[in-house]
Amino acid sequence: SAVGVARMAKFCGVSVNIITDFSDSNLDRCRAIMERESDYEGVFIDSESALDLIKSDTLLIVVDACNKAIMESEDVYNNCSNKVIIDHHRKPEEFSSKPLISYIETAASAASELVTELIEHALPREELRRNEANMLLAGIILDTKQFTQNTGSRTFSAALYLKDRGASPEEIQELFK
């Protein structure tokens, strides 16, 4: 879902970074695939680097985590005054500092589903690239346990859109190996 948000930011001409835990080897293949795209060179940064980049006008968009305890960096969250949250999990508590936008839709199967819906309405079709579509579909497949749990018509609609944009279930299965 972070890759989808990055695509929307890039479409708007905004500089973007994705905070990631480089010690989590589960994400190595995803990062490697995306960093082969020229648009994603240097986009992935750790939380310490992110703290150094925060300015008064920085917008932090948190995806797939409305609970500070499971966010990639609680310090970054606490130090940013402009926040948006996009998630499909139930909000466990009130936010200590109110986000500008809180798009929490518990009926959705995945944050990637929500971001895909936003992309479908906000971007021209050709703007979403194949590897981005793969990452978004991978998020949906992961959260739905390969479409066996928490799916609905919105889930399949998002998957169909991503497949139409070049997402390859075969490549995604390779990614999960």
Side-chain angles (χ1 to χ4, degrees):
S1 51
V3 167
V5 170
R7 171 49 49 212
M8 288 188 283
K10 287 177 174 297
F11 177 74
C12 294
V14 177
S15 176
V16 64
N17 291 102
I18 297 174
I19 301 170
T20 186
D21 181 357
F22 288 99
S23 67
D24 184 351
S25 62
N26 291 317
L27 301 175
D28 288 348
R29 292 173 93 185
C30 295
R31 283 190 300 264
I33 288 168
M34 293 313 301
E35 286 178 333
R36 281 185 241 147
E37 305 263 346
S38 61
D39 277 3
Y40 285 87
E41 288 178 30
V43 166
F44 297 95
I45 61 173
D46 62 18
S47 58
E48 285 184 35
S49 298
L51 282 168
D52 292 338
L53 296 174
I54 297 173
K55 300 177 193 164
S56 62
D57 64 344
T58 297
L59 175 63
L60 174 68
I61 302 176
V62 178
V63 291
D64 207 18
C66 61
N67 180 346
K68 287 196 310 186
I70 63 168
M71 289 179 184
E72 200 63 43
S73 175
E74 191 173 340
D75 285 340
V76 171
Y77 182 84
N78 290 333
N79 283 285
C80 283
S81 54
N82 304 310
K83 303 168 202 155
V84 171
I85 298 185
I86 303 170
D87 197 9
H88 66 111
H89 299 105
R90 282 190 170 74
K91 184 171 65 164
E93 61 201 40
E94 284 304 311
F95 298 113
S96 55
S97 60
K98 190 173 180 182
L100 298 170
I101 299 170
S102 174
Y103 182 31
I104 299 173
E105 179 62 58
T106 58
S109 66
S112 291
E113 177 184 310
L114 297 171
V115 171
T116 298
E117 290 174 345
L118 292 171
I119 288 170
E120 191 172 1
H121 292 27
L123 298 182
R125 292 178 63 77
E126 66 277 359
E127 278 300 314
L128 187 66
R129 300 194 171 109
R130 182 172 164 214
N131 282 334
E132 294 163 334
N134 273 338
M135 293 304 148
L136 287 162
L137 186 56
I140 293 171
I141 289 171
L142 186 67
D143 275 354
T144 63
K145 296 184 178 22
Q146 300 201 20
F147 296 100
T148 63
Q149 293 181 357
N150 304 322
T151 59
S153 60
R154 289 173 64 183
T155 311
F156 292 104
S157 177
L160 181 61
Y161 173 79
L162 294 169
K163 182 97 168 71
D164 185 54
R165 299 311 318 134
S168 167
E170 296 80 20
E171 288 179 25
I172 294 166
Q173 289 307 315
E174 284 298 314
L175 183 66
F176 287 146
K177 287 184 180 178

